[in-house]
Every structure is written in structure tokens, then in C-alpha cells.
């Protein structure tokens, strides 16, 4: 039976949009009113995308002064001439009627979303005065910056010049941190972004919870399709039958939270049956015997009741991986904050790759390279008087980046020292951090909250000052000096002028610095001057960069066999099968499995993930993308739904273990998920009134994530530890 | 010459880039779309089978939308491409009812609208927008009358199906399985 057809769904949602369109908000009407400059003919501008952080090279076509379309830049090694749907739909970012237009200063209590419009002069003076006051009373370290993406570069510079080291992005503690820690502990190096995975050459690809194809990181998905098209063996482990699962040779319907048990059992099979890469392990491994001894108890029979995966299937898949090694890639994933054992699970995953000999090998993990582009010669930053606030006494021993949630904690408690101001750039903390309530309580402790963004997010709703940023299509940004298979430098440059009083981040950061008396940190007046200087210093031609959007550098060896150095930045200089570092810090030197706590009887574990047409909670008012998906649905196993008397399309609310109730959301009763969990695409269920087009549509997983478990190694916040029940929603 | 589209369901991830690209290329108004994604699930958890398809007008060899059109606005053009002459269309919706694939809709300006195989691009030697953007390279477009074309080779070498063959319209969008 076909499930709900996408087009029918679109047709249903279009009914309401057409009515709204009577008020003149149809896409065509918008296009007519925006960007009309009297310019005629066609012109094309190469730049790079910012709908997500992947930074694909794109070419914008402007027709009669209006942006017509965005296409992939064929020269760009990341997108290879083809953007993802979000990149193609970036056109809608420009014409989004819900965009912030002018600076805003709060007029009522925080969170009331009541502001007065202000000039840039007023807004920046207000911010600078508050920042100076905070610095005078509490020290400059009491100002923190939360930032996401390349656009944060100059704000970071301003804050460092101001004297604060407290700069964090949710991409560590809420996303890829555990993975990077697990791999560092094992290989002495991070996975990086873009991930150094050689998917296109993999003969066997193992995805554990990674939903490539739904998670639309362009290069990853293109290479995934190449591998699938080539007939690579695909093993997918997921409580949900993902799009990737639909292409798999083996699908393992794992019990949520037990991935580590499965990985241990796989390693047990590889070791017991001597299927691992003996030569590689002997040459590069440290502590292998102790590792083997520690693995002994974790047989497939042991893992069976934990994971629900049949021992025969565990053995068959382990042998499948061994058959194709070293071109077997066990994908490290990206968002890896799941159950609280995440760094150790990621380490186990790294060890599994080590057994297969895939690190440094074709079809496994390649050695990335980059072009030498010297930093701009800024004056030295003042020395911060106090260390970063986020990780007192280095409690999370293996955190190598700043913890957002650590800064939040310090803001709440005033310990180890108070944080009194937050600058928040391009990240919606209320949807990105677990426990909205804690974030709001922390905000209440602040003397200053500034949000700099393109759309009025939930977090902007609590701000004292909101600064409207130009979209990526209207601004320059820092150069993208990519660390990738093929090194290159890419330029973001404006395609079209901002329609209202929006400003680019570099201008905002610079003006703020000037107001703070830190002008000496900005020897350049204009971004082109800055970019030109960097490009020149690198021996590249700025005119060429502007013309093509990027300049590629020479390729370097990717694999050990081609001469990439087989060096490991671990204490032993080898791949650490047994980790003395962990042992000394009181952690398991070889990962061990802990059974996840079960939820209340009758409840479902809440899982969340991505849809290919949206990024985080940032794209839901982009009319092109919202036209593809304007609402999420709660995925419920078909049999479980039947038991509850629910069918697809029914409206329900999700209630979590702490009584928090979601917005009403449609049910997707499906054979594509286990009966013990439900699934939401992240980012929906907006509560910010300014996001008029997205307000109240769908359910927010973030709102239901009231609990989280902190990874003891690195302070990441695991979020798949919440449970919900479903109740019928009253008809609207 | 016979234009066809051949879509590899093994590679397709249903990302909707084809839908987005069609909308921007052709200025399809908000709330409407000329192509769409269908997810077909058979069987039960934990071993369902999933086919994801990018669907659109099938540019049928026996198009009921053309034969039912009272004004002749719906016609077959070069390469078998079925098009609607907007100015001749009176918006009677007979074609919407006749199409077994539900590929047509009434444009807010009053005429029947649907996929054109991007003939304006194809005439200039470009691929249809949806094909040209697909990040998975799952879509192929070409001339079935040319035995050496990529589409002909794919249809010779791979198992495939078309949608609702029983409707008898001879659809020309094929799905590799
Ligand atoms: S993956 Fe998509 S959204 Fe992200 S940068 Fe590339 S085209 Fe843009």
C-alpha cells in the first residue's frame, strides 16, 4: 500500500496557503516586490551556500534584477555542480517575508517579543554600553558568544579583542563532540567537517543511526548514491527504517540505546574469528592484547537480549565487513549525542574501523589537506584573566572545545564566575540545547542578551536587542579555506543588495568593536580589503577568486598506500586499542556497555532526525522550502498505532515524562519504525510569533527534551533519553 | 525522436531537490508543484520494502489529457512532449480528470499546468531542471529512439517499471529497480 503521497500532502497544505495567498503573499508576488532594481538581462555570481554549514559552491542567476535560481558550481569539489534541495531553495531565504528587517530593542519583559525599531547607531551604542558595564563590574569574561557557522568569525574576533574566551557553538556539545572525542582518543585526530569519509570508494558501508539522504550533507549524499549505484554492500543499524535502510543489504532493527553492545559484539566476532586486519593492527596498534581480553565476554549471544539483533545476523554482518576490508567504512555519524555513553560508543566505532584497517585507506578514512592561507595579521588579543567558564577544574577531561551547556550552567549558578551577557549569532539556542526551561532560566540571569540572525527565532524572542543580518546571498563572509579531499579556497560574495536595513556580520562585528573602543583590532575598513589581503598573502589572485568563486589547490596523498603519513596524535603515537589516558582518568580503557534506562510503561522513546529540505530550525519560513514540508509528523509503528486506535493523518499531542505537551501534530503510522519509539523531524513546532509562517506548525522535539544525560568524558548532552505518550488532539 | 525520463530508484533518496528546482526554474507558484515524491512501502516492520520515486507527467504516448481537450490546448509536441498552450486553455479541468497520474493542476492564472520536460531548456541542449540538479544522479533524460542514448542503454540493461501500465496511456517515465 502506498503511504501518504507527497503530492497529495502538498495539495492538502496548499489549500490553506492559497487562502493566505489572497493577502498577497504568493511567491510570485514576493518575487515581484523584492530586489527590483531596474537592472535588465541575466547575470551570474559565484558564491557559496549557507543554508547549512556544508558551504557548497553555488552560482546565482539574477534575471532583471531579481534572483531567479541557484545552481551548483561545477568547479566546487564539495557539490560537484549540484546543490541539495535546501541550497536550490536558498532563493526563498531572500524573499522570506518573515525576515528581520531592522534592529529591535526590547520594550517589555523578556520573552514578550515586544520591541521598538531602532537604528543601527542606537542598537550598537546600547549594546556597547551594556557590555562595558558588564566588563567593569564582572570582567570582560562575563560576556559569552554562542555562534554557529562561518559567519561567526568576526564576532568571535570582536569578543576575543574584548577579552573573553567564552565562545561556544552547539556543534560540539550538542552534535559532533562525542564522535570527535572518540576518534581523537583512538587515532589522535578528529573526523572533521566535511567528514574525512571516503564513501565513494567504500565497498561496504555501515551506517549506525546515520540517515544519509535524509540528512542532506551534499558530498556525503552524493558519494552515498555513488556507492549504492556501484552496488556497495550496505549495512544499516537504526530503530527506524530510514531511507538508507531501504537500500541496505542488511537492516538491523536495533533496540534504541544499545548500539555500543552491537559494536562490541561485532568486534568480538572479528577478533575471535581472526577476521581483522592483522598486519595493520600489528603495525599501528597499541594495547591490542588488553583490548582482546576486555572484549572476550561480549559475544553475539550476550548482545542478543540487549540489542534484539539475532546472533547469526551479528556474525553475518561482521563477516560481511571483514570481507571488504579495508574498504569497509563504518560511518562515524555526525549528531552523536544520543544516550550518554556517546564518546565511548564513538570510540568503539573508531576501534571497529581500526580492526578493519580502514583509517588511512581507500574506501575508509582519507587524509584531508588544505591550502596555506595565513591569518590576517591582527594585534595580539588581551590575555583573558580567567580561564574559560564552561568546564571548571576540567571536569570533562576530554572536552577539547567549549561547552555551550557549560556556559549556560555558569550563567545559571554564577560559578566558577558569573556570565552576564550573551551574544547569540545564527543559532537558535532554545531549539538547539536540551531543556528549554534551563536556557530560559539562564537568560533571566543576564544583563544583556543580543541575538544576531536572519529570522526572528525563539531565542530572538527573549533578546534585549535583535540585530537583523543580511542573508548569505547579500553579504561577504570569511574565506572558506576548506580541509577536504581536494583543498580549495572559496569566496562568499553578495549576489544582490539587502532589501531592508539588514547588515552583514562583518560590518556588525566591526562597528561593535569600534563602539567598544577596539578599533585597533580592525585595521581594515572594508571586508574586501580584508579578504584581498588574505588572498594576496596566500599568493592567490583575488580577481580569479571573484570570477570563479573558488580556487583549487594541488591534491595531496589521501591514503597511507599513496604516501599519506601513517601518524597518530595519541600519547603512544599509535592507534590506541587500549587507552591509558582513559584508564588514568578513571574511565573504561576499552569501552563497556551500560544498558540504557527504560521509560515509563506504555511510553515511547522519542527519537529525532533531519529532513532533506530543512536545516535545524532555521529554514521553516523560507517559502520555497516550507512548500516542500511545512509541518512534521510523528512516526508511529503501524501496529502500535492500531493498538492506540490511531491512523495516519490523525492529530495527536505528545506528552513527555515530565508532563510537557507538544503542539498538535499529524500521525504517520508506518512500517518503518520499531514499536517502542516514535520519531520527529527536528526543528518544527515554532513558538516565536515573528516566524508567522511556521508558528505552531508541527511538534517540537526540543520542547519535549526536558531531560538529558551528560557524557562523563566530554560534557556532551545526550537527548534520546526522553519518553512520550500520545493523546488525541482536540480538533482545531 | 522520443523523449523519456529514466529514474533510478536505487539511487534516489527522495530529497525533493527535483521539486525545488522545478519550482524555481519554472516559477511554479507557492502551494503548487509539477513534480513530487512518492514513498511506497510494502511489507511489515522489520523488513519492509521501500521505493521512493520522483513523479511527474508521464508524457504518455496515448495521452488521455490530449484526446479529451475541447480546445486543442493540450497537444503532443516534438519528441512526444505533452504541453498545454496556456492562452488556448479555458480551464475546464477535463484533462485534470482524465490524467490517471494526477499530474495536472489549475494554475492560479486559470490554465491547466504541469511538467513540460523543461522543453525550453531541452531545446537549448540542456537537461530538464530536475535532472540537472539531482545530487544523487538518479535521473536520466534522453531519446528512446536512439539506441545508443543513455536512457536506451539503461532500459536495456536494468529491470524497470512504469506507473499504472494498466491505464493504457503508455507512460514515458521509467523507474529502474
Ligand atoms: S549541503 Fe545543501 S544547504 Fe548545505 S551548503 Fe550544500 S547546498 Fe547548501
Amino acid at each position: 500500500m502506498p503511504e501518504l503521497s507527497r503530492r497529495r500532502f502538498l495539495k492538502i497544505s496548499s489549500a490553506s496557503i492559497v487562502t493566505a495567498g489572497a493577502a498577497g503573499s504568493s511567491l510570485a508576488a514576493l518575487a515581484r516586490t523584492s530586489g527590483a532594481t531596474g537592472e535588465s538581462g541575466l547575470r551570474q555570481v559565484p558564491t557559496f551556500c549557507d543554508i547549512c554549514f556544508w558551504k557548497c559552491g553555488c552560482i546565482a542567476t539574477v534575471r532583471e534584477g531579481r534572483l531567479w535560481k541557484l545552481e551548483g558550481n561545477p568547479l566546487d569539489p564539495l557539490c560537484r555542480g549540484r546543490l541539495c534541495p535546501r541550497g536550490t531553495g536558498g532563493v526563498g531565504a531572500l524573499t522570506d517575508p518573515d525576515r528581520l528587517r531592522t534592529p529591535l530593542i526590547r520594550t517589555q519583559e523578556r520573552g514578550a517579543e515586544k520591541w521598538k525599531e531602532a537604528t543601527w547607531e542606537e542598537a550598537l551604542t546600547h549594546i556597547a554600553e551594556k557590555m562595558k558595564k558588564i566588563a567593569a563590574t564582572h570582567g570582560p569574561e562575563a560576556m559569552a558568544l554562542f555562534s554557529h557557522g562561518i559567519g561567526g568569525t568576526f564576532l568571535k574576533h570582536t569578543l576575543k579583542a574584548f577579552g573573553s574566551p567564552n565562545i561556544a557553538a552547539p556543534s560540539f556539545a550538542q552534535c559532533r563532540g562525542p564522535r570527535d572525542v572518540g576518534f581523537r582518543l583512538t587515532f589522535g585526530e578528529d573526523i572533521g567537517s566535511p567528514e574525512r569519509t571516503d564513501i565513494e570508494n567504500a565497498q561496504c558501508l555501515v551506517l549506525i543511526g546515520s540517515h544519509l539522504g535524509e540528512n542532506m550533507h551534499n558530498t556525503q549524499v552524493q558519494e552515498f548514491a555513488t556507492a549504492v549505484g556501484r552496488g556497495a554492500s550496505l549495512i544499516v543499524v537504526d530503530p527506524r527504517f530510514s531511507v538508507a535502510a531501504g537500500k541496505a543489504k542488511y537492516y538491523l532493527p536495533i533496540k534504541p540505546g544499545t548500539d555500543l553492545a552491537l559494536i562490541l559484539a561485532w568486534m568480538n566476532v572479528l577478533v575471535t574469528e581472526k577476521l581483522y586486519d592483522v598486519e595493520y593492527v600489528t603495525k599501528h596498534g597499541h594495547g591490542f592484547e588488553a583490548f582482546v581480553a576486555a572484549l572476550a565476554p561480549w559475544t553475539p549471544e550476550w548482545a542478543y537480549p540487549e540489542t534484539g539483533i539475532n546472533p547469526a545476523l551479528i556474525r553475518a554482518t561482521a563477516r560481511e565487513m571483514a570481507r571488504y576490508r579495508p574498504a569497509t567504512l563504518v560511518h562515524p555519524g555526525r549528531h552523536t549525542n544520543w544516550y550518554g555513553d556517546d564518546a565511548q560508543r564513538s570510540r568503539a566505532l573508531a576501534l571497529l574501523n581500526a580492526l578493519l584497517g580502514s583509517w588511512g585507506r581507500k574506501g575508509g578514512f582519507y587524509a584531508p589537506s588544505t591550502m596555506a592561507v595565513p591569518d590576517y595579521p591582527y594585534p595580539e588579543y588581551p590575555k583573558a584573566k580567567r580561564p574559560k567558564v564552561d568546564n571548571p577544574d576540567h571536569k570533562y577531561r576530554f572536552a577539547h572545545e567549549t561547552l555551550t551547556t557549560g556556559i549556560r550552567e555558569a550563567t545559571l549558578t554564577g560559578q566558577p564566575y558569573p556570565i552576564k551577557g550573551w551574544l547569540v549569532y545564527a543559532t537558535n539556542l532554545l531549539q538547539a540545547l536540551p531543556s528549554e526551561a534551563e536556557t530560559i532560566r539562564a537568560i533571566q540571569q543576564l544583563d544583556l542578551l543580543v541575538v544576531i540572525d536572519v529570522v526572528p527565532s525563539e531565542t530572538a524572542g527573549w533578546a534585549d536587542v535583535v540585530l537583523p543580518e543580511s542573508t548569505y546571498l547579500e553579504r561577504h563572509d570569511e574565506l572558506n579555506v576548506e580541509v577536504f579531499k581536494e583543498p580549495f579556497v572559496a569566496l562568499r560574495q553578495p549576489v544582490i543588495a539587502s532589501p531592508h536595513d539588514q547588515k552583514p556580520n562583518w560590518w556588525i562585528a566591526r562597528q561593535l568593536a569600534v563602539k567598544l573602543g577596539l578599533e585597533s583590532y580592525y585595521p581594515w575598513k572594508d571586508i574586501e580589503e580584508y579578504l584581498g589581503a588574505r588572498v594576496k598573502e596566500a599568493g592567490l589572485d583575488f580577481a580569479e577568486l571573484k570570477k570563479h568563486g573558488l580556487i583549487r589547490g594541488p591534491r595531496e596523498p589521501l591514503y597511507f598506500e599513496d604516501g599519506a603519513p601513517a601518524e597518530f596524535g595519541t600519547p603512544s603515537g599509535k592507534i590506541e586499542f587500549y587507552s591509558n589516558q582513559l584508564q588514568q582518568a578513571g574511565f573504561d580503557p576499552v569501552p563497556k556497555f551500560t544498558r540504557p534506562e527504560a521509560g515509563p510503561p506504555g511510553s515511547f522513546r522519542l527519537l529525532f532526525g533531519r529532513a532533506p529540505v530543512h536545516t535545524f530550525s532555521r529554514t521553516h519560513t523560507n517559502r520555497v522550502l516550507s512548500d516542500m514540508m511545512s509541518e512534521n509528523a510523528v512516526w508511529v509503528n503501524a501496529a502500535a498505532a492500531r493498538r492506540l486506535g490511531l491512523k495516519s493523518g490523525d492529530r495527536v499531542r505528545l506528552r513527555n515524562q515530565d508532563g510537557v505537551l507538544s503542539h498538535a501534530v499529524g500521525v504517520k503510522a508506518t512500517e518503518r519504525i520499531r514499536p517502542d519509539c516514535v520519531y520527529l523531524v527536528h526543528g518544527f513546532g515554532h513558538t516565536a510569533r515573528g516566524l508567522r509562517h511556521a508558528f505552531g506548525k508541527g511538534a517540537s522535539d526540543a520542547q519535549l527534551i526536558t531531560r538529558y544525560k551528560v557524557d562523563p568524558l566530554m560534557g556532551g548532552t545526550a537527548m534520546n533519553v526522553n519518553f512520550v505518550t500520545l493523546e488525541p488532539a482536540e480538533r482545531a | 525522436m522520443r523523449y523519456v525520463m529514466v529514474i533510478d530508484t536505487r539511487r534516489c533518496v527522495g530529497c525533493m531537490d527535483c521539486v525545488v528546482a522545478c519550482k524555481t526554474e519554472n516559477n511554479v507558484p507557492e502551494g503548487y508543484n509539477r513534480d513530487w515524491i512518492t514513498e511506497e512501502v510494502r511489507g511489515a516492520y522489520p523488513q519492509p520494502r521501500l521505493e521512493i520515486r520522483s513523479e511527474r507527467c508521464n508524457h504518455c504516448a496515448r495521452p488521455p489529457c490530449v484526446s479529451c481537450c475541447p480546445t486543442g490546448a493540450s497537444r503532443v509536441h516534438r519528441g512526444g512532449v505533452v504541453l498545454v498552450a496556456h492562452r488556448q486553455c479555458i480551464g475546464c479541468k477535463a484533462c485534470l480528470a482524465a490524467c490517471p497520474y494526477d499530474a495536472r493542476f489549475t494554475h492560479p492564472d486559470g490554465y491547466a499546468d504541469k511538467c513540460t520536460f523543461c522543453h525550453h531548456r531541452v531545446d537549448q541542449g540542456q537537461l530538464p531542471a530536475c535532472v540537472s540538479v539531482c545530487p544523487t544522479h538518479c535521473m536520466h533524460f534522453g531519446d528512446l529512439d536512439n539506441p545508443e542514448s543513455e536512457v536506451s542503454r539503461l532500459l536495456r540493461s536494468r529491470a524497470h517499471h512504469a506507473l499504472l501500465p494498466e491505464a493504457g496511456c503508455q507512460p514515458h517515465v521509467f523507474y529502474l529497480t
Side-chain angles (χ1 to χ4, degrees), chain A residues 366-372 482 484-488 553-560 562-565:
Chain A
Y366 65 84
S369 53
T370 191
M371 284 164 79
E482 196 58 280
F484 190 55
K485 254 185 193 171
E486 184 171 354
F488 66 93
R555 294 185 74 134
E556 283 176 39
L558 294 175
Y559 315 116
F560 294 165
D562 309 337

Side-chain angles (χ1 to χ4, degrees), chain A residues 48-57 79 82-88 216-219 472 615:
Chain A
F48 65 85
C49 182
D50 193 43
I51 301 289
C52 87
F53 47 79
W54 205 257
K55 308 184 194 77
C56 295
C79 83
R82 298 186 173 211
L83 300 178
C84 90
R86 298 165 300 164
T88 308
M216 208 56 210
H217 299 149
N218 198 344
T219 325
Y472 69 104
T615 301

Side-chain angles (χ1 to χ4, degrees), chain B residues 18 21-22 25-26 118 121 127-134:
Chain B
C18 46
C22 172
E25 174 71 27
N26 296 303
C118 276
R121 291 172 58 99
L127 290 167
C130 54
V131 179
S132 78
V133 299
C134 176

